[in-house]
């Protein structure tokens, strides 16, 4: 569905690079596919580099095409990180969309670097011990002209960000929190709701950083003050993956949220 | 030399290349008169099988998998999920 | 025009003459001077190619592939560990059927670290579905690279081409090279052709999941494209001969004094020239030997090889590479092609220097053996000067 939102926001002049992951499966079987976009499917760690070659090919051919890399959180935070970091540092001219469902959903939901503390996955049956990797902050340290987060819970915000990203030249990073009912263990019809709860409880900040200037999106403004944040429990309790969470873990996650927002506040001041 | 042996891993867009997901369904969404044509269901549907046609949402049942996302996101609760016969 | 240049400079020049659009580069010895030369040409304004200085070889291949599928001629180069690191993308590229060219300046593979020449890195990509040529002089490095672009973009082939050359020995040694004119090259290499273009105008996609039967058919297609490329390579070679007076590309591989020879030695790459001198010497001394130099490892021309070597009494195959536990790759390929006694020699690994004297003694010893007995098997040959090597105490497991 994020794909459809992209269609509405970016128009037709788009070429996709799809990194191994769930999106490479849902396109269906060749020789047909269910995308409206031309897509180069490619191995896990190669997306950002292939996009670096592709946008240059369009430039050489004098064609105005927006190149978009579509990758999961595993491809972004783990195996593809070197390639992503290289392309960001070179300020390559494409949009990188990380569809973050916080695990390797394609191969059965195993933990990734983007899985949050406490989540039960097939490879962390006792709950993950480490915190989620801070991809947005990592991208900011590459001095990219555009970096933002979005949630599929707020499609209009997501589309606005894609539209803005399209107008900017250089490396653009957008990380979209995409609740996965089968990995996070909730009823599929509540996908939108879970995507909203992540934002309302301030677990997932909606941000937009243009040329280093940090802007907190409207949906997340209440998070700037601790008192106005919705309790994290409301987000965690609707998901089965946090069933192993004890009080200690809960505190850990709460302090993770505090830490994230302290860091955002600091960034806003500089 | 005939070039018949030259085949490539190329695919072209086709409706429902992901398979006829309509077969999975146990409940189906039915759009009622309350629909205001806001397109929220279109944005949300994971299969791309609902969208506003004219002023009102329409479901493409061949591929709709009956997940109920549309009913949940509709701001005016215009979609009812009814059991498949 | 003639100019004195190294193999790496010759390759860089070929890339420029072929009007490449995108080059993905990552430094590794001994390939580095190719990309340095390209970067300098670009800085001087002689090269219009977009140079992408990526963060790894895996990405170098991905950049090159990304540009190729979206309609632009592209190039990369690597060596050794770099080739191994990009291995996944090497396969993805041939599976994608993307026409592009890569040069491999060969080098030994670690551990332990070794920067010197050996062909095992190149030879280990034999199964990957590329067209694979190997040069023996800087001249040939230039010629084969230019031909590679045309072969790769031929509709009967549509596959990536890998051109190998011996690290340092060719890459860094300067000789006289004939350079065809830009006009001749422009006429020789037609405008870019490729099987599909990833572009909003075509809306075609590449590489999503295909059902098993389709997948197998696609693999068979690559197999047939490689076998059929033999004719294309000869045709392209004959065309190339017209623009280069030194050209000798009407055949895939090269034979030397084979017609009347009873015995033959088979080699690949730069040391073939040393072996040829040894052959001359041996002939002076009354030994009836000739040489066969393999230029194309893929396609593997069974026909040419049978015609040239099928009637020999025995052959000696000298490899600068190994398939550990088996023998040299050339030796293994020839064993599966010919029904005559074949002996393999593995030598020159990791930069061990093998010269014409070594070839002289290897070949004369071989002929001696072959006269009175059935030859076969694989010998690991160390040149005379390095008999004793101190490798420390043998260890048992802890
Ligand atoms: S979300 Fe509801 S009101 Fe909006 S178009 Fe769909 S059915 Fe109609
Ligand atoms: S039930 Fe699910 S698949 Fe069917 S139209 Fe609604 S959202 Fe789409």
């Amino acid at each position: 569905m994020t794909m459809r939102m992209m269609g509405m926001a970016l128009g037709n002049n788009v070429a996709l690079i799809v990194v191994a992951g769930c999106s490479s499966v849902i396109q269906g079987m060749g020789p047909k596919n269910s995308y409206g976009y031309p897509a180069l499917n490619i191995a896990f760690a190669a997306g950002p580099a292939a996009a670096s070659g592709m946008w240059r090919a369009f430039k050489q051919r004098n064609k105005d095409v927006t190149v978009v890399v579509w990758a999961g959180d595993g491809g972004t935070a783990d195996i593809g990180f070197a390639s992503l970091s290289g392309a960001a540092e070179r300020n390559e001219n494409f949009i990188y969309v990380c569809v973050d469902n916080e695990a390797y959903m394609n191969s059965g939901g195993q933990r990734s670097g983007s899985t949050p503390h406490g989540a039960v996955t097939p490879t962390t049956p006792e709950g993950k011990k480490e915190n989620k990797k801070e991809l947005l902050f990592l991208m900011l340290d590459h001095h990219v002209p555009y970096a933002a987060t979005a949630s599929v819970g707020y499609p209009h915000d997501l589309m606005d960000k894609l539209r803005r990203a399209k107008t900017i030249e250089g490396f653009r990073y957008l990380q979209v929190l995409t609740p996965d009912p089968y990995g996070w263990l909730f009823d599929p019809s509540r996908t939108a709701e879970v995507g909203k709860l992540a934002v309302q409880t301030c677990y997932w900040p909606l941000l937009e950083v243009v040329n280093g200037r940090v802007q907190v999106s409207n949906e997340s403004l209440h998070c700037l003050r601790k008192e106005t944040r919705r309790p994290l429990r409301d987000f965690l309790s609707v998901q089965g993956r946090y069933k192993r969470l004890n009080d200690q873990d809960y505190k850990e996650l709460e302090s993770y949220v505090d830490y994230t927002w302290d860091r955002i506040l600091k960034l806003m001041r500089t | 030399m005939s070039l018949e042996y030259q085949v490539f891993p190329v695919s072209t867009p086709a409706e429902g290349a992901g398979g006829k997901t309509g077969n999975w369904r146990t409940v189906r969404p039915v759009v009622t008169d309350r629909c205001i044509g806001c397109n929220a269901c279109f944005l949300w549907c994971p299969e791309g099988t609902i969208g506003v046609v004219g002023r009102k949402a329409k479901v493409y049942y061949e591929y709709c998998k009956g997940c109920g996302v549309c009913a949940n996101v509709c701001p005016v609760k215009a979609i009812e999920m009814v059991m498949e016969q | 025009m003639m100019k004195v240049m190294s193999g790496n400079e010759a390759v860089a020049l070929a890339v420029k003459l072929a009007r490449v659009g995108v080059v993905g580069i990552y430094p590794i010895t001994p390939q580095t001077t190719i990309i340095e030369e390209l970067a300098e040409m670009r800085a001087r304004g002689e090269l219009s190619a977009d140079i992408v200085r990526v963060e790894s070889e895996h990405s170098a291949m991905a950049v090159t592939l990304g540009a190729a599928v979206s309609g632009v001629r592209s190039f990369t180069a690597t060596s050794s560990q770099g080739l191994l690191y990009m291995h996944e993308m090497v396969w993805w590229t041939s599976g994608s059927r993307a026409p592009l060219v890569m040069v491999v300046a060969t080098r030994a593979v670690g551990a332990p670290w070794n920067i010197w020449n050996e062909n095992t890195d190149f030879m280990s990509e034999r199964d990957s579905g590329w067209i694979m040529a190997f040069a023996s002089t800087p001249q040939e490095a230039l010629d084969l690279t230019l031909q590679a672009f045309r072969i790769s973009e031929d509709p009967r082939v549509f596959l990536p081409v890998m051109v190998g050359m011996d690290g340092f020995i060719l890459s860094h040694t300067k000789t006289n090279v004939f350079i065809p004119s830009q006009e001749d090259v422009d006429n020789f290499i037609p405008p870019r052709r490729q099987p599909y273009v990833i572009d909003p105008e075509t809306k075609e996609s590449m590489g999503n999941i295909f059902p098993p039967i389709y997948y197998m058919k696609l693999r068979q297609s690559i197999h047939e494209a490689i076998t059929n490329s033999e004719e294309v390579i000869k045709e392209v070679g004959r065309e190339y001969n017209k623009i280069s007076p030194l050209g000798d590309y009407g055949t895939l591989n090269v034979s030397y004094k084979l017609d009347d020879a009873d015995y033959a030695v088979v080699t690949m790459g730069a040391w073939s020239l040393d072996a040829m001198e040894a052959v001359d010497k041996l002939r002076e001394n009354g030994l009836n030997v000739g040489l066969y130099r393999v230029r194309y490892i893929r396609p593997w021309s069974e026909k040419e090889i049978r015609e040239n070597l099928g009637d020999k009494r025995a052959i000696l195959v000298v490899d600068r590479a190994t398939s550990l536990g088996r023998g040299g790759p050339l030796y293994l390929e020839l064993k599966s092609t010919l029904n005559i006694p074949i002996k393999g020699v593995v030598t020159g690994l990791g930069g061990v220097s093998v010269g014409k004297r070594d070839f002289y003694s290897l070949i004369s010893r071989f002929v001696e053996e072959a006269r009175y007995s059935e030859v076969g098997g694989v010998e690991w040959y160390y040149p005379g000067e390095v008999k004793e090597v101190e490798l420390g105490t043998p260890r048992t497991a802890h």
Side-chain angles (χ1 to χ4, degrees), chain C residues 23-255:
Chain C
V23 183
I25 61 173
Y26 187 80
I28 181 169
T29 306
Q31 156 268 170
T32 317
T33 50
I34 300 176
I35 60 172
E36 285 174 1
E37 181 70 21
L38 286 168
E40 261 166 46
M41 283 177 180
R42 166 92 199 180
R44 289 197 299 264
E46 295 166 13
L47 186 76
S48 61
D50 211 338
I51 296 181
V52 195
R53 297 151 180 94
V54 290
E55 77 296 332
S56 74
E57 287 91 356
H58 193 277
S59 286
M61 193 75 253
V63 161
T64 312
L65 172 63
V69 295
S70 283
V72 165
R73 191 168 289 154
S74 60
F75 172 86
T76 188
T78 192
S79 296
S80 179
Q81 310 298 131
L83 182 60
L84 267 62
Y85 194 60
M86 70 162 65
H87 184 62
E88 180 189 27
M89 296 316 296
V90 170
W91 284 68
W92 199 273
T93 299
S94 52
S96 303
R97 306 299 301 267
L100 58 83
V101 175
M102 167 160 71
V103 165
V104 177
T106 59
R107 164 182 154 182
V109 168
W113 284 118
N114 181 307
I115 59 159
W116 297 288
N117 183 30
E118 175 182 327
N119 306 149
T120 306
D121 51 356
F122 178 82
M123 294 301 254
S124 72
E125 295 294 351
R126 259 151 48 243
D127 294 341
S128 65
W130 285 53
I131 306 294
M132 297 172 75
F134 205 88
S136 66
T137 57
Q139 178 72 59
E140 213 174 42
L142 178 129
D143 297 344
L144 290 177
T145 305
L146 281 175
Q147 291 170 57
F149 285 105
R150 174 152 165 190
I151 295 162
S152 167
E153 295 174 16
D154 189 292
R156 292 164 289 179
V157 182
F158 280 155
L159 280 172
V161 180
M162 198 181 294
V163 177
M165 64 173 161
D166 292 285
F168 290 116
I169 296 171
L170 275 204
S171 64
H172 287 62
T173 309
K174 298 201 182 209
T175 59
N176 235 334
V177 174
F178 173 82
I179 307 160
S181 73
Q182 182 68 60
E183 196 191 338
D184 280 348
V185 174
D186 287 345
N187 291 327
F188 171 69
I189 306 178
R192 173 87 179 163
R193 290 176 293 178
Q194 59 189 88
Y196 59 89
V197 187
I198 303 289
D199 188 306
E201 260 171 56
T202 66
K203 292 240 188 297
E204 281 180 329
S205 293
M206 197 296 297
N208 55 324
I209 288 188
F210 278 72
I213 294 271
Y214 282 67
Y215 178 85
M216 188 161 157
K217 283 273 174 207
L218 289 162
R219 290 285 128 172
Q220 191 187 350
S221 175
I222 298 178
H223 168 77
E224 285 175 23
I226 294 176
T227 38
N228 289 340
S229 71
E230 200 175 321
E231 281 313 307
V232 179
I233 290 167
K234 283 192 270 188
E235 187 185 300
V236 169
R238 284 193 298 270
E239 288 295 312
Y240 190 81
N241 290 345
K242 293 180 191 160
I243 64 167
S244 178
L246 307 171
D248 169 28
Y249 297 99
T251 54
L252 269 71
N253 304 321
V254 181
S255 58

Side-chain angles (χ1 to χ4, degrees), chain A residues 8-175:
Chain A
M8 287 182 73
L10 296 181
N12 283 325
N13 229 4
V14 170
L16 274 184
I17 289 184
V18 181
V19 172
C22 35
S23 306
S24 39
V25 179
I26 60 155
Q27 303 165 55
M29 291 249 185
K32 295 195 165 101
N33 69 65
S34 50
Y35 285 173
Y37 289 124
L40 169 67
N41 286 274
I42 204 154
F44 237 160
S52 308
M54 189 179 273
W55 80 261
R56 285 159 198 273
F58 287 124
K59 191 181 83 178
Q60 291 256 342
R61 295 169 60 213
N62 287 319
K63 288 195 123 185
D64 181 24
V65 176
T66 306
V67 174
V68 178
V69 175
W70 198 260
D73 51 287
T76 305
D78 300 342
I79 189 169
F81 191 72
S83 178
L84 172 69
S85 171
E89 182 264 336
R90 296 190 303 273
N91 196 22
E92 299 283 352
N93 190 18
F94 62 84
I95 302 178
Y96 187 97
V97 179
C98 167
V99 179
D100 185 4
N101 48 32
E102 304 196 317
Y104 288 94
M105 287 310 169
N106 188 34
S107 47
Q110 298 82 358
R111 67 91 89 181
S112 80
S114 194
T115 303
H117 177 95
V120 170
T121 74
T123 49
T124 54
E126 70 298 4
K128 193 186 165 191
K129 297 272 182 286
E130 305 79 18
N131 274 321
K132 186 178 169 78
K133 199 183 271 192
E134 304 290 344
L135 283 164
L136 185 86
F137 294 138
L138 284 165
M139 281 299 105
L140 290 182
D141 282 343
H142 288 73
H143 318 288
V144 296
Y146 186 88
T149 51
S151 159
V152 285
Y154 296 98
H156 292 284
D157 173 68
L158 165 56
M159 288 190 291
D160 280 349
K161 284 173 177 161
L162 277 169
R163 270 190 214 108
R164 204 150 321 125
K166 196 187 170 185
T167 64
I168 290 169
E169 206 170 301
F171 189 90
R172 292 143 283 168
Y173 178 81
L174 180 63
Q175 188 171 351

Side-chain angles (χ1 to χ4, degrees), chain C residues 376-388:
Chain C
V378 177
E379 175 191 339
W380 283 61
Y381 172 80
Y382 294 87
E385 315 90 73
V386 279
K387 273 197 194 103
E388 288 301 317

Side-chain angles (χ1 to χ4, degrees), chain B residues 30-32 34-44 50-53 55-58 70-71 73-79:
Chain B
V30 174
V31 181
T32 65
R34 286 196 294 277
C35 172
I36 52 171
C38 71
N39 246 334
C41 52
F42 164 73
L43 277 179
W44 271 103
I50 189 167
V52 175
V53 180
R55 288 245 188 95
K56 202 175 151 219
K58 183 170 183 287
C70 53
V73 296
C74 174
V76 294
K77 300 283 161 245
I79 297 174

Side-chain angles (χ1 to χ4, degrees), chain A residues 195-252:
Chain A
K196 285 195 168 95
L197 281 170
V199 175
Q200 288 164 2
T201 58
C202 303
Y203 166 76
W204 184 246
L206 297 190
L207 303 175
E208 189 171 49
V209 187
V210 183
N211 292 322
R213 252 200 76 238
V214 183
Q215 178 90 45
V216 176
S217 311
N218 289 342
E219 291 80 358
S220 285
L221 280 173
H222 68 284
C223 300
L224 288 171
R225 284 177 54 217
K226 201 170 172 179
E227 309 82 74
T228 47
R229 291 177 201 162
R230 187 168 169 179
L232 191 56
R233 208 171 288 282
D234 293 354
F235 171 59
L236 305 182
S237 61
V238 294
Q239 305 167 55
R241 63 172 170 161
Y242 290 112
K243 60 176 182 257
R244 285 282 163 80
L245 219 61
N246 56 31
D247 288 349
Q248 172 91 39
D249 292 325
Y250 185 75
K251 279 207 195 87
E252 172 81 37

